[in-house]
Amino acid sequence: MAEQILMLALSPTMEEGTIAGWKKQEGDTISQGDIICEVETDKATMDYESIQEGTLLKILAPEGAEAAVGVPIAIIGEKGEDISSLITAAESASAGAAKKSSEEPAAAEEKTEEKAEKVSPAPAPAPAPAPVTAKAAPAAQEPAETRTEEGWIKASPLAREMARSRGIDISLIAGSGPGGRIVKKDIEGASSGASRAFQRSAAGGVSQAAPALPAGEDRLIPVSKMRKAIAGRLAESKYSAPHFYLNVDVRGESLLASRSGINRTVDQKISVNAFIIKLAAEALKRYPRVNASWEGDTIREFGSVDIGLAVALDDGLITPVVRNCGVKGIQEIDRELKELIPRAQAGKLAPEEYTGATFSVSNLGSFGIDSFTAIINPPGSAILAVGAMKKVPVVAADGTLSAGDVMKLSLSCDHRVIDGATGARFLDALKMNFENPMAALL
């Protein structure tokens, strides 16, 4: 009997997904566990594994289409079945989901206005802002069907990644997919020599064939699902968890020497991030209150030290998690990082691989940042921000001046869980681990 294939929640925060591509076509036989399509969620591009068996009779959501969780995206059944009633029901479900989505912003705005009226019964009227006239993008930039009214270029995630890795300006490609969407074959055509004008020069600049936007013109960039999820999650963390910050300077000579010594004895060089995670895990074992979460009536001290490392993506960041770092050696942690980070950058992590960190690390030292503070990543109650290691003048205990390798660490703490003294003791223990790494690792 024919039935609908519904859009499933492929990540904990997913409310809707975009069909990145179909692996099965109408008429194909599907078994349980077969990957039928790829879905772009708010965090990654996930494989959709079928939980049904039969023949794919109808694709309802083509490549590039968005579908809310619970909305039909295809119909499966036996060849020759009458599926007209299922198609009608699917169209009604899609229309209902679209209507609900359009009504939610208005409802939220009404609630905000009601709240504002309660707080301030008679607000002074604000002067009306001067009207702003948006300029239309020049028609010569690209075919109109490739760019939406908001200026967003319609392209599949795979096409975007291929264009980025090959140095191609995707805004100059004419899309051949549904609705003018840029797909894989368009990028392959541009990089094969047929469209050399689209490629970046060897020096890294855009070729002269690429027209520049007129000076002073605004660009409207639609918020991606990932950016929207990051904004909501971090705003909630920042404004619900009372943050406070602790900072310390750490000498790095022993860390560098220990890493060099270990790397001379192993086949694959161990990264600095693996050292940071392992040394943090050892400090967390001594101070379990820092490896904890606020749960309202209780504080949960986690039995496992699961550390997330912030990884930058083109339109946001993701935090792959190394589980149970307290009992793993530094080589094992490094091997997991080397496997997780490339998949994180390619958007291929499963939800369980980027959620549930009990403590997080954000390292911007490679970008030359001296110091910064980071926003706590729930459910954890602390995050460590790591700055660049730099040669600076240091004063020894006897008053002599010399050059030393120094890095700045900043610990962001949730004051509901971690008191100042606890955070300070943890950071002091972490400083000792950094400055005496071999003692911490033995």
Side-chain angles (χ1 to χ4, degrees), residues 13-34:
T13 57
M14 177 178 164
E15 295 181 356
E16 64 178 10
T18 301
I19 303 295
W22 282 93
K23 299 294 186 181
K24 298 287 187 178
Q25 302 302 320
E26 292 181 3
D28 289 351
T29 299
I30 297 174
S31 301
Q32 285 186 354
D34 284 355

Side-chain angles (χ1 to χ4, degrees), residues 45-364:
T45 300
M46 310 289 295
D47 291 334
Y48 187 118
E49 295 185 8
S50 177
I51 59 175
Q52 297 147 294
E53 293 184 343
T55 300
L56 184 58
L57 301 177
K58 181 70 175 178
I59 291 175
L60 301 172
E63 180 181 337
E66 293 187 350
V69 172
V71 167
I73 58 173
I75 296 175
I76 191 171
E78 296 181 3
K79 289 183 178 179
E81 281 192 82
D82 181 8
I83 58 173
S84 56
S85 61
L86 290 177
I87 294 176
T88 301
E91 291 172 348
S92 298
S94 298
K99 181 179 179 182
K100 180 181 178 183
S101 177
S102 64
E103 289 174 349
E104 283 176 352
E109 185 176 346
E110 288 176 5
K111 289 182 179 179
T112 302
E113 290 175 353
E114 289 174 6
K115 185 176 180 181
E117 288 173 2
K118 291 178 182 178
V119 174
S120 179
V132 178
T133 302
K135 297 180 181 178
Q141 276 197 331
E142 62 177 81
E145 64 272 13
T146 303
R147 188 183 290 271
T148 66
E149 292 180 0
E150 295 83 6
W152 177 248
I153 298 167
K154 295 184 285 187
S156 71
L158 177 59
R160 291 182 184 280
E161 175 59 25
M162 289 175 63
R164 185 194 63 78
S165 63
R166 301 184 187 192
I168 296 174
D169 187 346
I170 200 168
S171 68
L172 301 176
I173 304 294
S176 62
R181 196 167 192 251
I182 299 169
V183 293
K184 176 183 176 182
K185 67 179 181 180
D186 301 322
I187 304 300
E188 290 175 339
S191 59
S192 65
S195 304
R196 293 292 181 187
F198 299 144
Q199 300 189 32
R200 295 184 181 275
S201 67
V206 178
S207 69
Q208 302 230 343
L213 288 173
E217 181 175 330
D218 294 344
R219 291 179 60 206
L220 296 178
I221 303 173
V223 177
S224 67
K225 290 183 177 65
M226 174 176 287
R227 176 60 60 187
K228 190 177 295 184
I230 291 170
R233 187 173 178 84
L234 294 185
E236 181 182 359
S237 172
K238 182 67 174 178
Y239 296 114
S240 66
H243 285 52
F244 73 92
Y245 309 97
L246 301 171
N247 306 289
V248 69
D249 288 346
V250 173
R251 297 290 295 270
E253 293 87 352
S254 295
L255 177 61
L256 294 175
S258 298
R259 178 171 177 254
S260 296
I262 292 175
N263 281 343
R264 284 195 294 269
T265 65
V266 296
D267 295 334
Q268 194 167 19
K269 295 188 182 300
I270 296 173
S271 66
V272 172
N273 283 328
F275 271 86
I276 293 171
I277 287 175
K278 180 57 181 174
L279 295 174
E282 292 302 312
L284 289 167
K285 286 160 63 176
R286 290 182 58 189
Y287 294 95
R289 179 52 61 90
V290 182
N291 190 55
S293 179
W294 176 260
E295 295 186 353
D297 294 332
T298 59
I299 293 173
R300 181 185 298 274
E301 291 186 355
F302 295 103
S304 175
V305 179
D306 301 335
I307 299 182
L309 178 69
V311 173
L313 305 178
D314 288 342
D315 191 37
L317 59 86
I318 196 168
T319 309
V321 181
V322 181
R323 305 288 176 185
N324 215 6
C325 297
V327 299
K328 289 179 178 175
I330 193 168
Q331 281 187 279
E332 188 176 358
I333 290 173
D334 186 68
R335 280 195 295 269
E336 289 194 30
L337 286 176
K338 286 182 168 64
E339 194 273 331
L340 286 169
I341 291 175
R343 290 199 295 112
Q345 293 169 332
K348 294 296 183 181
L349 290 182
E352 62 271 16
E353 293 176 312
Y354 62 80
T355 57
T358 64
F359 183 85
S360 298
V361 172
S362 181
N363 183 2
L364 293 180

